Amino acid sequence: MRLSTKGRYAVMAMADLARRQDEPCRAVALADIATRQEISLSYLEQLFARLRRKGLVQSARGPGGGYRLSRTAAETTIADIVHAVDEPIRATRCADSGAEKGKGCMLKGERCLTHDLWDHLGDRIEDYLASVSLADVISGRLRARRQAA
């Protein structure tokens, strides 16, 4: 499975935003995020329009304007972010994963021999991303969790 730049950049930008939420009364400008994360500003604008529509960020206009998280970093999961930018989390090559959904991945519409393997992997990835919050990412807890394993 591979996460596209859309999902990765959205998570990077949201982590940057979460890291600055404790700064007093200031929204974070996308231009600042773009510079720090080395992401195109126009691409970030597209991503943040989706994140705003899904209720993950709030925007403020005018001097000192920019974006803030709508929820706390602890309440925002990585899966929330990835889904908000319409990034599918699946490991199958089928258009729809799952037993009863749509056609399979083979030319005749059948499921491939390894479909269930990849479908279950996609479920585990989904579960993992849903278990990780922005707070986990910015606090370094993931690094500590990995070193303990």
Side-chain angles (χ1 to χ4, degrees), residues 1 12 15 24 33 39 65 74 79 87 90-91 96 99 103 107 113 122 126 135-136 139-140 145-146 149:
M1 184 185 127
M12 289 167 58
I33 296 173
I39 301 171
E87 182 69 24
R90 60 184 170 86
D96 296 306
K103 291 185 172 183
L107 288 176
L113 186 60
E126 174 78 34
D136 294 328
S139 70
R145 190 189 300 181
R146 189 166 202 199

Side-chain angles (χ1 to χ4, degrees), residues 46-61:
Q46 293 171 34
L47 293 176
F48 270 72
R50 292 176 182 204
L51 293 166
R52 187 176 44 78
R53 279 195 300 272
K54 296 294 185 173
L56 294 181
V57 296
Q58 298 172 336
S59 61
R61 294 180 186 244

Side-chain angles (χ1 to χ4, degrees), residues 6-7 10 47-48 50-51 54 80-87:
K6 188 174 11 175
L47 293 176
F48 270 72
R50 292 176 182 204
L51 293 166
K54 296 294 185 173
D80 293 336
I81 298 166
V82 172
H83 288 300
V85 295
D86 297 328
E87 182 69 24

Side-chain angles (χ1 to χ4, degrees), residues 15 18-19 73-74 132-145:
R19 182 173 258 170
V132 176
S133 71
L134 277 176
D136 294 328
V137 172
I138 65 173
S139 70
R141 283 191 284 259
L142 295 177
R143 189 174 326 117
R145 190 189 300 181

